[in-house]
Amino acid sequence: MEESSKVIHAIYTDDDVLMAAVKKVRAERYHIEEIYTPFPVHGLDKAMGLAPTRLAITAFIYGVIGLVVATVMMDYIMIEDWPQNIGGKPSFSYIEGMPAFVPIMFELTVFFSAHLMVITFYLRSKLWPFKEAENPDVRTTDDHFLMEISAGHNIDEQFDILRNTGAVEVTLIDKAH
């Protein structure tokens, strides 16, 4: 059986203890596969050494797309297709009527950014309807934290390090099964 299919699960009951354990495990140069928590833990991504998310960049791009769609849509509808005199606002030039269109531009910018970000997040996270949960221990949805690390050649040493970091339970799991 291959060593690479084995992982060690360390269960913690406190997020501060988990943060200290992550720093200790990283200092020992062990690879952390995943951490499962019942709630977001501030600073955990940085402690794990994860790259910053690019979701903010996509939010900006989606907002710009929404602004362009709003501008093109309003120019076509209110100026080209069916110009109307509404409250004395000019209907022969988009630029002159633009102050009246600012709320629509804002709303479509936010709409596109929010909705496309959610869709991007779900696709990137591989979350879709009827997807089976990948959570290895049901307790992590309530009040426990689970650190999953790759099992190395010296498993006893890894067990000792994890127990010394405050893990209440440490088990070796074969992911092949």
Side-chain angles (χ1 to χ4, degrees):
M1 181 169 7
E2 285 185 29
E3 285 292 321
S4 63
S5 66
K6 291 184 180 179
V7 293
I8 299 172
H9 285 178
I11 302 281
Y12 297 88
T13 56
D14 184 62
D15 57 332
D16 293 329
V17 175
L18 173 73
M19 283 293 289
V22 167
K23 291 173 185 171
K24 174 73 173 163
V25 168
R26 292 248 347 215
E28 293 289 333
R29 303 267 192 249
Y30 292 118
H31 176 67
I32 299 173
E33 293 285 335
E34 188 65 76
I35 295 182
Y36 299 89
T37 64
F39 54 83
V41 177
H42 179 70
L44 185 60
D45 51 345
K46 188 176 279 188
M48 288 177 63
L50 298 177
T53 179
R54 295 183 302 251
L55 202 56
I57 296 168
T58 61
F60 176 75
I61 292 169
Y62 295 152
V64 169
I65 291 170
L67 182 63
V68 168
V69 167
T71 303
V72 170
M73 179 189 76
M74 289 181 301
D75 181 54
Y76 177 73
I77 293 171
M78 299 300 288
I79 307 302
E80 305 295 328
D81 186 41
W82 196 332
Q84 298 179 46
N85 185 348
I86 302 171
K89 294 177 182 71
S91 61
F92 48 83
S93 167
Y94 178 79
I95 297 299
E96 290 178 329
M98 192 174 67
F101 302 146
V102 169
I104 300 167
M105 294 162 59
F106 173 77
E107 290 297 333
L108 280 179
T109 300
V110 172
F111 179 86
F112 270 68
S113 182
H115 286 78
L116 291 176
M117 266 182 21
V118 168
I119 292 168
T120 300
F121 174 76
Y122 283 145
L123 291 174
R124 184 73 178 102
S125 300
K126 298 178 182 153
L127 294 173
W128 39 76
F130 312 111
K131 184 176 187 313
E132 295 265 341
E134 295 177 7
N135 196 348
D137 193 323
V138 72
R139 294 176 292 177
T140 60
T141 62
D142 188 20
D143 61 351
H144 285 66
F145 304 85
L146 185 143
M147 182 189 318
E148 182 178 278
I149 68 170
S150 300
H153 297 294
N154 194 348
I155 294 173
D156 292 332
E157 180 183 315
Q158 287 178 307
F159 269 56
D160 291 340
I161 290 170
L162 291 169
R163 284 192 190 101
N164 289 337
T165 61
V168 295
E169 182 181 320
V170 181
T171 55
L172 181 65
I173 305 291
D174 187 6
K175 287 187 95 169
H177 295 275

